Amino acid sequence: AQTVTQSQPEMSVQEAETVTLSCTYDTSESDYYLFWYKQPPSRQMILVIRQEAYKQQNATENRFSVNFQKAAKSFSLKISDSQLGDAAMYFCAYRSAIWETSGSRLTFGEGTQLTVNP
Amino acid sequence: DAGVIQSPRHEVTEMGQEVTLRCKPISGHDYLFWYRQTMMRGLELLIYFNNNVPIDDSGMPEDRFSAKMPNASFSTLKIQPSEPRDSAVYFCASSLGTGYYEKLFFGSGTQLSVL
């Protein structure tokens, strides 16, 4: 079974600064998808960024980028020019690309609470 | 589109009572998921449907839990009888397809408190 670990329960960053959230995962599969979701106080989970395992290039979405290290099974999220609205719980998630293994099951990490200080 | 709509937003009930959580997925989406979020176990998948048919219910904790999807625009998650350990936030999510380009849209969740 796959597992996802976020070792930082809490992180803080000054507004306009850069912060990196860590995520590691364990899998024996070679093809899979990785995601970062944001959960603000409104509770709704919002997709921030996603990465296909077979793509070498790190995904980027505006101020959000990832550092995907497949051999190390690491998938960190970098937030540049942090804004107050970035304050939220961030979840790393894994999904197998093999339908027979997990269908559409997402396995989530424990989450990292990000505080943005003005 | 209004997104995934869940009701109620909050539910407080007493142990032993029946609880029904409701979800309206985004129109046109063919996959619907029920997740549960607790401090102890984090986010875990309970069950998911494809074209209204349950595909994987291995995450349903026990027989007290049941889920239905009578049509493409409505799903329910029922707990009967409810217990204090069922207290959690229950999320419904929907998507169109399941490939990489699938984007999972979550509702705002139902905060369930069983006293």
Side-chain angles (χ1 to χ4, degrees), chain B residues 52-64:
Chain B
N52 315 336
V53 176
I55 302 300
D56 182 356
D57 65 354
S58 60
M60 296 286 262
E62 48 197 276
D63 292 345
R64 298 185 296 106

Side-chain angles (χ1 to χ4, degrees), chain B residues 1-105:
Chain B
D1 200 312
V4 177
I5 300 173
Q6 290 187 247
S7 64
R9 184 163 173 80
H10 302 277
E11 176 79 37
V12 180
T13 189
E14 292 188 348
M15 183 173 63
Q17 296 297 307
E18 177 180 294
V19 175
T20 299
L21 312 181
R22 296 172 175 80
C23 174
K24 176 179 166 51
I26 291 174
S27 177
H29 281 190
D30 55 350
Y31 282 82
L32 183 139
F33 305 80
W34 283 100
Y35 280 86
R36 178 171 69 174
Q37 184 178 31
T38 62
M39 289 295 291
M40 292 297 294
R41 299 173 67 89
L43 275 154
E44 51 185 347
L45 178 67
L46 300 178
I47 185 171
Y48 77 91
F49 297 82
N50 175 217
N51 291 323
N52 315 336
V53 176
I55 302 300
D56 182 356
D57 65 354
S58 60
M60 296 286 262
E62 48 197 276
D63 292 345
R64 298 185 296 106
F65 286 69
S66 62
K68 294 182 180 180
M69 192 165 186
N71 57 62
S73 59
F74 184 66
S75 177
T76 60
L77 178 66
K78 186 176 294 187
I79 309 172
Q80 166 64 20
S82 59
E83 296 182 3
R85 60 194 167 115
D86 301 331
S87 298
V89 179
Y90 291 81
F91 287 99
C92 177
S94 71
S95 70
L96 179 62
T98 61
Y100 169 71
Y101 296 101
E102 144 218 359
K103 186 174 179 179
L104 197 59
F105 292 84

Side-chain angles (χ1 to χ4, degrees), chain A residues 5-71:
Chain A
T5 302
Q6 294 177 249
S7 59
Q8 306 156 316
E10 299 176 346
M11 291 283 285
S12 63
V13 62
Q14 291 296 126
E15 199 175 0
E17 297 294 308
T18 296
V19 64
T20 299
L21 309 184
S22 300
C23 172
T24 58
Y25 58 94
D26 187 28
T27 183
S28 58
E29 299 174 339
S30 59
D31 197 13
Y32 46 87
Y33 310 129
L34 296 166
F35 306 85
W36 279 97
Y37 279 86
K38 169 185 177 181
Q39 186 178 37
S42 65
R43 280 202 316 241
Q44 189 173 24
M45 300 281 286
I46 302 165
L47 178 65
V48 174
I49 198 166
R50 53 190 166 181
Q51 175 84 39
E52 292 179 83
Y54 68 85
K55 284 192 174 179
Q56 300 273 350
Q57 188 172 6
N58 289 323
T60 300
E61 289 285 344
N62 300 313
R63 297 182 296 106
F64 298 87
S65 61
V66 299
N67 183 6
F68 173 49
Q69 301 289 329
K70 190 172 184 180

